[in-house]
Amino acid sequence: MSILFTGRATGAKANRIGLVRRFLMFFVHHIRQALSSLGELWRTPAASFLTIIVLGLSLTLPVTLHLLVKNAQQISNSFAKAAEINLFIREDASAAQIQSLQTILKADPQITAVRHINKADAMAEFQAASSFGEALNYLTENPLPDVLVVMPANTEPAAARALMQQLAAERIVEFAKLDLEWLTRLEAVVRLMQQAVIAIALLLLSAVLFIVSNTIRLSIISKQAEIEVMKLVGATDSFIQRPFLYTGFWFGVLGGLLAFLVSETLLWGLRGAISDITSLYQSDFQLQAMNLYEFCGVILLAVSLGVGGSYLSVRRHIRAIEPSGP
Amino acid sequence: MLQFDHVSKSYPGGFVALERINFRIAKGEMVFLTGHSGAGKSTILKLISMIERPSTGRVMINNIDLSRLKRSQVPYVRRDVGIIFQNHRLLMNHTVFDNVALPLVIEGFTGKEMVKRVHAALDKVGLLDKQRCLPETLSGGEQQRVGIARAVVNKPPLLLADEPTGNLDPELSRDIMQVFEAFNQVGVSVLVATHDLGLIARMRYRTLTLKQGRMINDDLIPSRDQV
């Protein structure tokens, strides 16, 4: 409605368009503006592609690092699962006592499985695996203790250690052993990598924000005359800023896609080197690519950076442009 | 409808562009605004279109004081005031049709209604056959008429024109003035700032004469020391 002239209907209201139709037109209008912004990018290919490439490459590094961390975590997880507690049984414990301890442990909810390796089996295994072979036959009695192998339900190092201490207190247990050291080391390395990735990602993402912001700023300045005319014929700031926000949106979409392609290519190229390392530790390791959620996340992040960067510029600069007069 | 009430405008540095200006323009009136360059014609148009705000005094449209409106309301005021610029102010990389459609797009018109109105406006200024051209390919007079079509396409109740015949030959000037008269006859208030005294004398409308920021004459004919 007009502010100055009561009864002067303006705009879409004058058309008496139905509510549903107006609602649909809202979307049609936005899609049309989005496409025209894309067309605008197409008309200045050199500048647009440079910006998109810068965005894509800036996003590639955090994305690739994230994928590497994800794969490293996968290794560390598979080792954490293998974490098992060995309970060495006292020499003087009877078979019945071992049997009853095993039953108690099986009932414990903190424990998923208990396996008994008796001293004869252990000897046979040792004889087969070690090179002592014949020499062991000269021993008068078997020096190896009975062992209960306990799988903890919670494979976190801290929880496993607590369980180990609890089990070590059992009467017939000589001592308990948990091979944690290198597991904690691996976890520390993964954690360090994660934090480094977050720090690098924050730096690069803020760079992306400012790159978009600056590109949009230049684009606003180059259209100053046009913006003045639009203001003179009654365009609101939000009307003028919409195409620029859509430009930011497209920068985000295209930059995100580029980052996806480049990081997947990088990962594919590194595949050989990575599998060389991982095969040293674990045979059935499979390199994990980006899943759908992560892909959507990357695009969403890129789009929000594009729109956000654009918004930073339009807020300030479109407001600042005022027509200087007829 | 339009009222200037003791309006003064001074710019930083002490230059006084307007000094205690009083006048009223009734609904449906056509008025000329004249004076030497620098006399304050443009400043008056800038105050009405809210490009500038008065230093003192009030500019009122339909008894609403423009200086009491918020910044966010300025675009809506400009939709009620059609402005024709001396230097046309067209979007050079858009077609004539797009230029004229701009105020309608801003107001949210789409589809057939928009096309109908743009065609009607272009028809009034006689440029319907040039709608697909770029403004660069048109002559100065044609560009001016595109500017007029854009100013009237959303049927504003008030029309401002700044030197609309500035660099046109007399014949074209007369054509353009006839376009303004046609709008005036359907009830649009028209304020034309011009220094083309011959034109004013021929047309015999009420004329406001400015000299160094003061209103020196408000009559049917320009004052003698102007002629």
Side-chain angles (χ1 to χ4, degrees):
Chain A
M1 259 331 245
S2 165
I3 298 169
L4 302 177
F5 296 87
T6 47
R8 179 178 182 242
T10 53
K13 287 190 189 84
N15 285 333
R16 298 193 205 292
I17 295 171
L19 204 67
V20 177
R21 175 112 190 273
R22 218 187 293 168
F23 188 68
L24 284 177
M25 287 311 291
F26 176 81
F27 284 104
V28 171
H29 195 62
H30 271 265
I31 290 168
R32 201 179 287 167
Q33 280 204 316
L35 291 179
S36 86
S37 288
L38 189 61
E40 196 77 15
L41 287 184
W42 191 249
R43 274 191 285 281
T44 53
S48 309
F49 280 124
L50 281 178
T51 308
I52 289 163
I53 285 169
V54 171
L55 294 191
L57 295 186
S58 308
L59 287 170
T60 299
L61 190 55
V63 169
T64 311
L65 287 176
H66 164 77
L67 288 176
L68 289 177
V69 168
K70 186 173 99 164
N71 282 296
Q73 247 169 347
Q74 188 202 351
I75 306 173
S76 121
N77 283 343
S78 63
F79 278 112
K81 276 187 204 103
E84 46 187 39
I85 301 168
N86 293 326
L87 301 179
F88 297 90
I89 306 298
R90 278 178 197 279
E91 194 73 17
D92 55 358
S94 70
Q97 278 176 311
I98 297 172
Q99 189 61 46
S100 77
L101 178 62
Q102 196 176 353
T103 321
I104 294 167
L105 294 182
K106 269 182 182 161
D108 193 328
Q110 295 181 69
I111 293 164
T112 52
V114 182
R115 192 157 46 93
H116 179 212
I117 304 171
N118 69 39
K119 46 173 80 177
D121 290 347
M123 191 63 185
E125 194 182 321
F126 183 58
Q127 217 159 10
S130 71
S131 52
F132 293 115
E134 291 294 308
L136 291 173
N137 289 335
Y138 293 99
L139 290 173
T140 49
E141 59 180 276
N142 184 350
L144 296 177
D146 284 277
V147 175
L148 287 178
V149 179
V150 173
M151 297 291 200
N154 187 345
T155 54
E156 294 274 311
R161 185 175 286 131
L163 181 65
M164 178 198 78
Q165 274 156 4
Q166 188 193 326
L167 296 177
E170 287 286 341
R171 205 161 44 81
I172 60 161
V173 173
E174 178 90 54
F175 70 97
K177 192 164 179 293
L178 174 64
D179 193 8
L180 266 179
E181 203 149 299
W182 86 280
L183 187 63
T184 30
R185 209 180 296 150
L186 181 65
E187 281 209 341
V189 170
V190 170
R191 220 170 19 249
L192 174 72
M193 275 169 71
Q194 263 174 325
Q195 278 170 8
V197 168
I198 290 171
I200 291 171
L202 281 179
L203 286 176
L204 285 169
L205 297 186
S206 43
V208 168
L209 197 69
F210 291 119
I211 291 164
V212 174
S213 178
N214 193 46
T215 309
I216 298 289
R217 185 181 67 89
L218 294 175
S219 154
I220 290 173
I221 289 171
S222 75
K223 288 192 179 148
Q224 177 150 6
E226 200 168 320
I227 291 170
E228 279 185 21
V229 171
M230 289 169 92
K231 286 202 169 187
L232 281 172
V233 298
T236 54
D237 286 0
S238 62
F239 178 87
I240 298 170
Q241 75 192 26
R242 219 175 290 152
F244 294 103
L245 292 179
Y246 273 116
T247 305
F249 168 82
W250 287 117
F251 278 150
V253 170
L254 298 172
L257 281 176
L258 184 67
F260 165 74
L261 289 176
V262 174
S263 62
E264 288 292 296
T265 314
L266 267 181
L267 207 64
W268 188 75
L270 289 174
R271 188 185 37 151
I274 293 174
S275 68
D276 280 355
I277 298 173
T278 53
S279 64
L280 293 176
Y281 294 94
Q282 197 192 17
S283 52
D284 61 342
F285 176 80
Q286 280 199 328
L287 192 63
Q288 291 198 336
M290 214 183 269
N291 61 32
L292 185 65
Y293 287 117
E294 286 166 324
F295 173 73
C296 293
V298 167
I299 298 292
L300 208 68
L301 180 71
V303 166
S304 51
L305 286 173
V307 175
S310 171
Y311 188 73
L312 283 181
S313 266
V314 295
R315 277 304 298 160
R316 275 234 317 270
H317 298 289
I318 288 187
R319 207 185 155 87
I321 294 175
E322 275 301 333
S324 53
Chain B
M1 183 189 71
L2 174 67
Q3 183 182 351
F4 270 57
D5 191 5
H6 293 93
V7 174
S8 298
K9 176 69 186 174
S10 50
Y11 288 99
F15 173 67
V16 179
L18 292 177
E19 216 175 323
R20 291 197 300 282
I21 299 289
N22 287 300
F23 69 90
R24 279 162 181 271
I25 293 176
K27 186 174 183 295
E29 200 178 1
M30 178 147 167
V31 178
F32 282 109
L33 180 63
T34 188
H36 291 297
S37 60
K41 300 190 298 285
S42 292
T43 309
I44 284 185
L45 297 186
K46 283 181 191 173
L47 291 174
I48 300 170
S49 53
M50 297 194 77
I51 294 166
E52 304 272 5
R53 301 214 174 206
S55 306
T56 60
R58 291 183 302 174
V59 178
M60 305 214 283
I61 295 179
N62 281 341
N63 291 321
I64 295 170
D65 186 353
L66 293 188
S67 59
R68 300 236 311 262
L69 296 178
K70 284 180 290 205
R71 186 184 182 279
S72 60
Q73 291 176 308
V74 171
Y76 300 95
V77 170
R78 291 188 182 146
R79 291 177 195 184
D80 290 332
V81 181
I83 313 172
I84 292 137
F85 306 99
Q86 183 179 7
N87 50 3
H88 322 317
R89 291 240 183 188
L90 301 178
L91 306 179
M92 286 304 176
N93 46 1
H94 291 270
T95 62
V96 167
F97 182 94
D98 288 350
N99 269 282
V100 176
L102 182 63
L104 296 178
V105 173
I106 286 169
E107 284 194 37
F109 281 93
T110 46
K112 281 191 201 124
E113 178 69 18
M114 180 181 81
V115 174
K116 202 177 85 189
R117 288 196 177 210
V118 172
H119 283 174
L122 282 173
D123 193 32
K124 272 180 215 159
V125 297
L127 285 176
L128 200 48
D129 54 330
K130 301 272 171 105
Q131 56 167 315
R132 294 277 154 235
C133 299
L134 287 176
E136 292 170 324
T137 62
L138 303 181
S139 71
E142 284 169 331
Q143 289 189 19
Q144 185 63 277
R145 283 187 281 159
V146 174
I148 294 171
R150 186 181 63 191
V152 301
V153 72
N154 61 348
K155 301 177 185 161
L158 176 61
L159 201 56
L160 306 179
D162 189 22
E163 304 285 1
T165 59
N167 29 31
L168 303 180
D169 59 55
E171 201 174 332
L172 272 173
S173 301
R174 204 167 50 240
D175 285 353
I176 282 181
M177 280 303 157
Q178 274 162 3
V179 172
F180 287 145
E181 279 185 309
F183 287 120
N184 180 236
Q185 273 153 18
V186 297
V188 177
S189 311
V190 184
L191 177 61
V192 181
T194 180
H195 57 249
D196 189 346
L197 294 171
L199 191 82
I200 296 171
R202 274 200 307 280
M203 309 243 329
R204 296 197 65 82
Y205 282 100
R206 180 182 158 203
T207 305
L208 307 172
T209 310
L210 288 171
K211 190 178 185 187
Q212 288 169 352
R214 287 168 185 272
M215 185 80 75
I216 56 167
N217 193 31
D218 181 352
D219 204 352
L220 267 182
I221 48 161
S223 77
R224 253 183 218 102
D225 62 280
Q226 281 285 308
V227 180

